[in-house]
Each structure stands twice: as C-alpha cells, then as structure tokens.
Amino acid sequence: MKSKLRRSWKFAHKLISTSVATALLAITPLQQAQACTGITLQAQDGAYIFARTQEWGTFDLRSRVTIIPRNYALQTTLEDGKKGVGWKTKYGVVGLDVVEKDYLIDGMNEKGLTVNLFYQEGYTEYAKYDPSKAATSIPVLALAPYLLSNFQSIDEVRAAMAKLNVIGVRVEAIGGVPPVHLMVTDHTGKAVVIEFTNGITKLHDAPLGIVTNGPNYDWHINNLLNYTSLDVPLPHRKADDIKSLKFGAGARLFGLPGDLTSPSRFLRAAAYASTARKTVDGPETMYEAFRILDNFNLTVGTAAAEGGGEVNQEGMRSSTIWTTAYDTKNLVLQYHTQHNRRIRQLDFKTVNFDAKEVVRIPLDREKAQDIEYLNPSNSSQNIMSLAGGWSAAEVDQLAMDAANFAVSKDSSSAKLKRIIEVKKQVVKGANYFINYELDDGSVWDAIVYRDLTGEFSLKQSAKR
C-alpha cells in the first residue's frame, strides 16, 4: 500500500488518542465516566504482556493496523512551517492508528518496546513552542512512532526524552489540544509513564504497569496505598513498596470502588492484575489480559466514555472501540473490536519490515461478529448451529446464488448438482446454511453470509 506519510509528518493532526481523565475525587464531587485502561501481566516463562482498552464515545475512530518499516524517513512539521524532529526508522513498528491517518495510539516495535497513549484532561500542559528549538521539537502526536522506531529499552527512552521538546497540537476534530500521557514498556517488564505537567516533561517509574487517565501518575500510586493490605501502618507506606502490594480475593475485595472514573478503574485494574491466575506463557497470558479487560468495557454514548468533535454514533456497538494486547517476548499483537470479539493476531515473524512503504490493514474485514456454527448431526465437522434465529428457507434464487458462491470457493472442478436443504438466519444481512450435492457425488455443508449490499462471503465450508 502507498504511504500517506510521504516523508512529512504534518503538525495539524486530527484525533489520536482516547481517554479523558477525571478530576480528583476530593475536588470534583461529580465525575464523568470516561476512559481507557491499561494493564501489564507476566507469564511464568518471562513473557510480559501489555494490554489496553480503547474508548471513544462520539464516533468510530476507524482504526487500522499500521506497519512502519525500517529505514523509513519521517519528518515532523511544526505550526510555523519549520521542520521539527526528523529521523529514519531504526526498528520496524506495528500499531493502531486512528481516523485513517498516519499516527499511532499504541504500538510495539520489533524489539518488544510498547508505547500507548491515554487521555489526561485537566492535568496535561505541554511546553510552549520555541521556534529557536525547532530542531529538537516534536508534536506529541508524533511521539509514539518516534520512540517505537528508534529505541528498544526504557533507559534509551529516558535518555531520548531528556533531549526533546514535546509540544501540544490543536486538533480541530475535538476543538483543542488532546491532553495525553504515555505508558512505555520494554521486553524486560520495565515501564515508565511520560507526563507533561506545567510545561515540564516528567517520567514516572511504573512497576505495576497499570495506567488509566488523570490525575497525575504519582497521585494514583499514592491513592493505591489506601486500598492494600500491607502489614505496615498506612502513614509509613511508601510508593517504593508498590511491588509488595497484596490484594485479597473474593469477598476481601469488598470496598474496592466500582465506578467508571479513572481513579477507581486504576484501583480495580491493579487489583485484578495482582490477583490474576498464573499463566505459563505469552499466549495464555494474553487470554488472561483480555479476560481482565472485559471488566472495563463501556456502552455506547458520550456519557459512558470520552470523546470530542461531532457526534456520529451510527454503526457503533460500544464506546470500547477495540482492545489490544502486545506480547513483548514473542512479538505478537492480538486484538478484538466492538464489532467482532474474535481474536485477530499479527505475528511479527510474518511481517516484512524491509518494505518500502507503510502498510495498513483494516481492523475488521466485516463489521459483524464471527460465529462458529456447530452441526449436531455431524459433530466431526462442527459446521451448523441450531442457535436461535435459524429457520427453514426455500430454495430460491438467493439460495442458489449463495450455493454457487460456496462452490466457486471450492478448489475442485465439480459443479453444483442440487441443493438438499437451506436454512436462513437474519443478522445484519443474512446467513445461509446450505446442504448441497456436487456432480462428483460429494455432499457439502456451507455457511454463506450476504451483506446488506448483496455481496457474499464464505464463513465455513465442510465436506460430509
């Protein structure tokens, strides 16, 4: 695919990240329910998984999997037209973009470094742009790809951040500068949260690997100490003790806040991650991460999640647009979306990072739930489901067209002889279960989906 980056990263970006922070509970009596949640889990074989939810309440972010190759030149352009930080990518990167533009909300590079952006409204203040420092200035929207394509460890990220002037960007889609902070993790499990406070860049160690939104990260850590069962009396608890936090289980979690505000989600995420079951390897730990993050999914609506710009919720099923998990040891991305909870996977071993252009892959080939259909009369094939909604249907022209489509996808040269049975399920479009015979005597079952435009796609096919 052709890249729209074209060696120039424009300063006037549209929306790139996702989570509005909440105010301090003691200061703001009523908070909006807003946000994204991120957790880190470790497998017994040493694999670290970073996983997060991506919320946005006003419109579908239209995200894509984006692959940035090695040795690819990128150049930022600042608000006065001057060139900012420019670089040639050292490492290949896989991440998710938004609004079909070439900037990333989250991602991982081929060395296992991950970067994820989260909203932090009310607490973020970027440095003022100084034209005399243009060469070391970078728009916050370009920071994730910059870090991912250049560095492989937290120590390298720390050194790089000390040399950068990170500046804010007005985004017309949301009517202002998106206030974000970043969680960065590496393959050793080391992590930092990067925040911009009073014009100063601050890096906070994040040993638990938990992140939500505002207030500032150190406030969350101190607040967390109020909800632990440390044996040390409360006044003597220190943030340095965070690694030894012990949460109870079951009834002992009584009193843990259950609302959707950022401080409460941070507490629950820490509790759920701390009490997660032991997992042997990366794949099983990714499963556990998705299970935990299911607790943070939000319904559709601006009252449920942050969002800016014109409201257009047509086609949305959730304010949790998607959930991603990155295996920093095995270098694998997995995700599911608001439209399809089937896990999709991209293994870095299959990626050509020596390509010449950026590659983009839609998150959903079809915005419909992928369903496995079981056949009680033919358990070896597991092809037909008797789930609600299926009904007997006539062998009409649509059924014939669906059958012929299924046959066309078969590698054999046999032709359709007759349709034995048809069942139909009305979804967003229609699913056709077709039992048919070919002229070579073989009998097949197939599930064919017909969308609202009349296009067919083969869901499943099996020979009896």
Side-chain angles (χ1 to χ4, degrees):
M1 299 181 184
K2 296 295 182 182
S3 171
K4 294 182 181 178
L5 287 168
R6 297 298 186 191
R7 316 307 197 251
S8 175
W9 206 299
K10 296 297 182 182
F11 185 79
H13 289 296
K14 292 188 178 177
L15 171 72
I16 69 152
S17 95
T18 59
S19 162
V20 173
T22 116
L24 292 171
L25 290 169
I27 296 175
T28 307
L30 180 62
Q31 296 188 5
Q32 291 179 313
Q34 298 175 338
C36 304
T37 303
I39 62 172
T40 304
L41 300 178
Q42 183 183 11
Q44 291 175 320
D45 70 353
Y48 282 92
I49 307 300
F50 183 83
R52 58 91 55 89
T53 64
Q54 170 60 54
E55 275 75 28
W56 194 252
T58 49
F59 56 84
D60 190 341
L61 292 173
R62 306 192 306 279
S63 297
R64 303 167 296 186
V65 175
T66 300
I67 302 171
I68 303 175
R70 307 181 194 104
N71 300 313
Y72 191 83
L74 296 172
Q75 176 65 58
T76 61
T77 302
L78 307 177
E79 59 184 350
D80 59 359
K82 288 187 176 181
K83 290 183 177 181
V85 172
W87 72 97
K88 181 171 284 190
T89 59
K90 182 177 181 181
Y91 303 118
V93 175
V94 173
L96 271 65
D97 67 12
V98 291
V99 295
E100 299 174 345
K101 301 295 182 181
D102 286 314
Y103 32 76
L104 305 180
I105 288 179
D106 67 32
M108 180 171 70
N109 70 18
E110 58 184 308
K111 296 297 181 180
L113 186 81
T114 73
V115 179
N116 288 258
L117 279 73
F118 296 78
Y119 250 47
Q120 197 196 25
E121 189 175 46
Y123 300 90
T124 295
E125 181 182 345
Y126 303 105
K128 296 186 182 302
Y129 171 52
D130 182 349
S132 68
K133 298 179 180 179
T136 58
S137 295
I138 185 168
V140 67
L141 306 183
L143 189 54
Y146 176 77
L147 296 177
L148 287 168
S149 61
N150 283 297
F151 309 110
Q152 63 175 311
S153 70
I154 295 300
D155 290 341
E156 290 180 355
V157 168
R158 281 186 174 277
M161 291 302 301
K163 301 174 184 178
L164 292 175
N165 302 303
V166 180
I167 55 179
V169 176
R170 178 175 175 80
V171 177
E172 294 303 326
I174 62 172
V177 176
V180 302
H181 61 172
L182 296 84
M183 169 68 87
V184 185
T185 66
D186 66 22
H187 74 281
T188 70
K190 200 170 184 179
V192 294
V193 171
I194 303 173
E195 296 185 337
F196 311 97
T197 307
N198 298 323
I200 300 173
T201 299
K202 296 184 178 181
L203 277 71
H204 303 276
D205 288 325
L208 289 183
I210 305 298
V211 63
T212 55
N213 315 108
N216 289 336
Y217 199 76
D218 52 356
W219 184 93
H220 281 293
I221 295 302
N222 288 327
N223 185 49
L224 185 62
L225 295 175
N226 294 317
Y227 292 86
T228 64
S229 57
L230 290 174
D231 295 330
V232 181
L234 181 61
H236 301 288
R237 297 177 186 174
K238 306 188 298 290
D240 291 343
D241 297 327
I242 207 73
K243 276 289 191 179
S244 61
L245 293 180
K246 302 294 183 184
F247 285 92
R252 292 185 63 190
L253 289 179
F254 179 79
L256 195 66
D259 59 79
L260 300 178
T261 59
S262 177
S264 295
R265 284 183 291 104
F266 191 101
L267 294 170
R268 291 202 306 282
Y272 298 159
S274 174
T275 57
R277 66 188 174 89
K278 293 182 180 180
T279 48
V280 296
D281 55 17
E284 189 62 20
T285 308
M286 294 177 95
Y287 179 95
E288 182 70 359
F290 283 117
R291 183 195 65 78
I292 290 172
L293 290 177
D294 278 348
N295 291 281
F296 300 92
N297 289 346
L298 300 181
T299 187
V300 173
T302 54
E306 74 279 3
E310 183 177 352
V311 177
N312 180 7
Q313 297 168 350
E314 182 178 358
M316 291 180 65
R317 290 167 159 165
S318 171
S319 289
T320 303
I321 305 294
W322 40 256
T323 303
T324 54
Y326 292 93
D327 183 335
T328 65
K329 177 182 179 181
N330 299 299
L331 302 179
V332 170
L333 160 66
Q334 290 186 351
Y335 69 89
H336 63 67
T337 73
Q338 62 173 321
H339 299 296
N340 188 352
R341 292 182 60 81
R342 179 180 182 178
I343 298 297
R344 269 62 59 87
Q345 175 171 301
L346 192 154
D347 189 327
F348 280 37
K349 292 190 292 292
T350 69
V351 177
N352 177 18
F353 285 121
D354 291 320
K356 300 303 180 183
E357 299 290 350
V358 172
V359 174
R360 304 173 195 83
I361 305 170
L363 288 187
D364 293 298
R365 298 186 184 277
E366 297 178 10
K367 293 183 178 180
Q369 178 61 46
D370 184 30
I371 301 172
E372 180 181 0
Y373 299 97
L374 305 179
N375 183 358
S377 64
N378 191 0
S379 59
S380 64
Q381 299 295 347
N382 290 331
I383 189 66
M384 175 56 191
S385 172
L386 294 182
W390 285 98
S391 59
E394 295 181 359
V395 182
D396 56 13
Q397 188 58 51
L398 286 177
M400 290 292 297
D401 291 343
N404 281 312
F405 180 84
V407 173
S408 73
K409 297 300 180 181
D410 181 24
S411 59
S412 73
S413 59
K415 304 297 183 183
L416 179 65
K417 180 179 179 180
R418 66 186 179 106
I419 294 178
I420 302 171
E421 181 185 16
V422 177
K423 290 188 178 183
K424 183 178 179 180
Q425 182 188 45
V426 177
V427 287
K428 191 176 180 180
N431 286 317
Y432 289 89
F433 164 75
I434 305 172
N435 172 227
Y436 59 90
E437 182 182 2
L438 299 180
D439 60 7
D440 63 1
S442 61
V443 176
W444 292 72
D445 290 334
I447 298 290
V448 178
Y449 171 67
R450 182 177 184 270
D451 66 22
L452 295 176
T453 68
E455 295 294 321
F456 288 108
S457 59
L458 183 63
K459 291 294 187 181
Q460 297 185 55
S461 178
K463 185 177 180 180
R464 286 197 173 190

